[in-house]
């Protein structure tokens, strides 16, 4: 029985239990960290009813304050959530995050330009640029891809064994 109690306590300690009313007041008063916590609670349905629109609302406020986490999380929602898909918004938040230095946004922006979609046309030069930037900033997936592209020689990268080795080693 003691083992079961310890397991329950461990699970409770790992959950992000927040006072949603207190956090919403903090968020409405400009606390960006509270905005992120409230958005995550609504996105995951932790302590509140799951509400993607409220999550987007709080992430957007945080993004408007320049919070890189909000750019990443908003782009994730717009890519994965069927209720709010807007590739124009994905492009906006990925670009803001990429320009602010987010490796994840840099990589995902490059992927978006490689794939293209109805709202965002394919653009190999921008894809190359953002893959290179993400790799230079140490994003493992971008390093691996850029390394392979330098080794293979193709449309995006000229063959360069030295750079191929450099990026594959980082990955």
């Amino acid at each position: 029985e003691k083992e079961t109690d310890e397991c329950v306590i461990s699970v409770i300690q790992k959950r992000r239990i927040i006072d949603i009313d207190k956090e919403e007041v903090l968020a409405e008063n400009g606390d960006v960290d509270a905005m992120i916590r409230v958005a995550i609670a609504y996105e995951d349905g932790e302590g509140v009813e799951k509400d993607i629109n409220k999550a987007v609302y709080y992430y957007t406020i945080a993004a408007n304050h320049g919070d890189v986490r909000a750019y990443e999380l908003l782009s994730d929602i717009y890519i994965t959530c069927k209720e709010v898909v807007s590739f124009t918004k994905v492009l906006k938040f990925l670009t803001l995050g990429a320009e602010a230095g987010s490796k994840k946004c840099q990589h995902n922006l490059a992927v978006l330009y490689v794939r293209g979609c109805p709202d965002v046309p394919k653009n190999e030069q921008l894809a190359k640029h953002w893959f290179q930037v993400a790799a230079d900033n140490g994003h493992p997936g971008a390093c691996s891809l850029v390394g392979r592209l330098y080794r293979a020689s193709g449309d995006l990268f000229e063959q360069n064994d030295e750079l191929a080795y450099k990026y594959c080693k980082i990955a």
Side-chain angles (χ1 to χ4, degrees):
E1 186 172 324
K2 183 179 179 189
E3 193 173 305
T4 302
D5 291 341
E6 287 174 8
C7 182
V8 169
I9 290 169
S10 175
V11 168
I12 290 171
Q13 288 172 341
K14 288 180 183 176
R15 291 192 55 126
R16 296 175 299 215
I17 299 174
I18 64 170
D19 180 341
I20 194 69
D21 295 327
K22 177 182 170 188
E23 292 294 326
E24 283 184 320
V25 169
L26 291 170
E28 295 297 335
N29 286 313
D31 183 327
V32 176
D33 290 330
M35 293 171 197
I36 298 293
R37 288 190 296 272
V38 170
I40 290 170
Y42 279 114
E43 183 179 2
D44 296 342
E46 289 186 12
V48 293
E49 187 174 329
K50 186 174 182 167
D51 187 331
I52 294 298
N53 291 321
K54 282 189 179 180
V56 168
Y57 169 77
Y58 284 105
Y59 284 140
T60 301
I61 295 171
N64 290 335
H65 281 84
D67 190 274
V68 174
R69 297 167 300 174
Y71 299 144
E72 293 175 352
L73 294 165
L74 270 169
S75 63
D76 287 346
I77 285 178
Y78 285 122
I79 286 172
T80 61
C81 182
K82 305 229 184 299
E83 295 102 19
V84 241
V85 170
S86 167
F87 285 103
T88 304
K89 290 182 179 179
V90 171
L91 179 63
K92 173 187 173 182
F93 291 114
L94 285 177
T95 301
L96 288 169
E99 290 171 350
S102 165
K103 295 182 278 192
K104 178 181 179 180
C105 286
Q106 293 162 350
H107 176 265
N108 290 348
L109 184 57
V111 170
L112 185 62
Y113 281 126
V114 164
R115 292 181 181 162
C117 64
D119 299 332
V120 182
K122 290 182 181 183
N123 187 322
E124 288 185 354
Q125 290 308 310
L126 285 173
K128 175 184 176 180
H129 168 77
W130 286 114
F131 275 131
Q132 185 71 60
V133 171
D136 288 342
N137 286 323
H139 185 281
C143 287
S144 176
L145 177 68
V146 167
R148 288 191 316 248
L149 290 171
Y150 272 123
R151 194 177 76 212
S153 179
D155 294 338
L156 290 180
F157 293 87
E158 286 186 32
Q159 186 171 8
N160 184 322
D161 290 336
E162 186 177 318
L163 288 174
Y165 177 75
K166 171 189 167 184
Y167 287 108
C168 287
K169 185 177 176 184
I170 293 170

